Amino acid sequence: MENDYTIVLGNREILSQICGTYDSNLKLIENYLGVPVFTRGNELSITDTRQEIREKFKFIIDSLCDEISENSNAGPELIESILNTAFFGSSAEKKFDAGKNAIVIPGSSRKIYPKTKNQCALIEAFRSKDLVFAVGPAGTGKTFLAVAQALSLLLNHKVNSIILTRPVVEAGENLGFLPGALEDKINPYLRPLYDSMNHCLTPEIVKKLQESGIIEVAPLAYMRGRSINNAAVILDEAQNTTGEQMKMFLTRLGENSKIFVTGDATQIDLPKKIPSGLVQALEILKDIPEISIVEMQNEDVVRSALVRKIVQAYENAETK
């Protein structure tokens, strides 16, 4: 038809992967574009004269074909990644490249795709800067992406170790009251980091890396006096650092190391009279070009739709 815009694919196998099981992928694409997508032979087409829709359609299909050509499966995660992080508009505007922005971890059977524009920006920051602050609400993937990038650096032999740390600030509890050796005491506080690692690699590989000392657990207080070289360091729950702790930690950065700092300034557990080291650092360091600060928003919550609504409800209540 005259108004049809058609893309011819290399073969029906590519078409089948793009459509997905029971056309599940195709339905996601149709919902995003707001128009039906028709299949015929090895062709995909839409009936829409709007240039913007046609450009979006072409970009989505081209991106999927690029990924499939690299032996990737076009599952819902990849589809959603491309739909959520695509940049459209003028020809000069940057466009999202799903393959380029995915985190590839040797030994893992899957790529880690960003699911929002800010997640895409965060991955780019991890790659280009030695010190990155990832701040924002719970469920936005800050910690998970930091862990995935750290594992990618380690297993691609860009760094020799990963160091996990966080301030131990919990209501009504003290590190010294917990049973066991030092690692046993702090492990419960770092459970989210381990969960992220186990999502990226098998638990057996993670355990082996821990037992060999390649993945190190270190309470924040034990970082004083160290110079960290050839490592990827993740400071999680950084909103609970004091100003002194944050300065001490950041000045540990040595040769060929990267520091990823994650936190949520709305969930500070410090006594009210003690200012957050994360909040202070964001203000003090904001004008240093070698440091990247990526602020995640409510729309970046990917943990679940319900979590996104909870975060928004609390934010609305605080503004009243």
Side-chain angles (χ1 to χ4, degrees), residues 2 8 12 22 24-26 36 47 63 70 74 79 82 93 143-144 158 173 195 198 211 220 265 268:
E2 184 178 344
V8 180
R12 288 183 62 87
Y22 301 114
S24 57
N25 293 344
L26 206 60
T47 302
S63 297
E70 295 181 6
I79 301 289
I82 292 174
E93 191 174 2
T143 298
F144 176 70
K158 301 293 180 64
E173 291 185 306
D195 289 343
N198 290 331
E211 291 176 344
L220 185 58
I268 298 172

Side-chain angles (χ1 to χ4, degrees), residues 94-202:
K94 184 178 180 179
K95 292 190 176 182
F96 173 72
D97 183 326
K100 177 182 176 182
N101 288 275
I103 299 176
V104 180
I105 303 172
S108 176
S109 60
R110 57 195 290 271
K111 292 181 179 180
I112 308 300
Y113 292 98
K115 296 182 178 180
T116 70
K117 293 178 183 179
N118 282 331
Q119 283 196 356
C120 181
L122 183 57
I123 290 175
E124 291 181 349
F126 285 152
R127 290 174 175 168
S128 62
K129 305 292 185 180
D130 290 337
L131 175 54
V132 179
F133 289 88
V135 296
T140 53
K142 307 182 299 296
T143 298
F144 176 70
L145 293 178
V147 167
Q149 181 63 21
L151 287 172
S152 178
L153 289 169
L154 175 68
L155 297 176
N156 279 299
H157 307 292
K158 301 293 180 64
V159 298
N160 296 334
S161 64
I162 295 174
I163 300 174
L164 309 176
T165 187
R166 60 160 285 179
V168 180
V169 179
E170 300 291 344
E173 291 185 306
N174 185 286
L175 184 63
F177 295 155
L178 296 175
L182 174 63
E183 188 167 329
D184 296 323
K185 291 180 179 182
I186 197 171
N187 272 351
Y189 295 94
L190 295 171
R191 189 71 255 169
L193 297 170
Y194 291 135
D195 289 343
S196 296
M197 287 189 176
N198 290 331
H199 187 78
C200 297
L201 297 171
T202 65

Side-chain angles (χ1 to χ4, degrees), residues 11 65 74 130 152 162 197 216 222 242 268 294 299-300:
N11 54 63
C65 288
D130 290 337
S152 178
I162 295 174
M197 287 189 176
E216 177 188 351
Y222 284 54
T242 65
I268 298 172
V294 180
E299 56 266 27
D300 298 306

Side-chain angles (χ1 to χ4, degrees), residues 7-12 14-16 18 42-44 61 65:
I7 296 176
V8 180
L9 304 176
N11 54 63
R12 288 183 62 87
I14 295 177
L15 175 66
S16 177
I18 289 177
N42 62 331
E43 298 178 351
L44 287 168
I61 303 306
C65 288

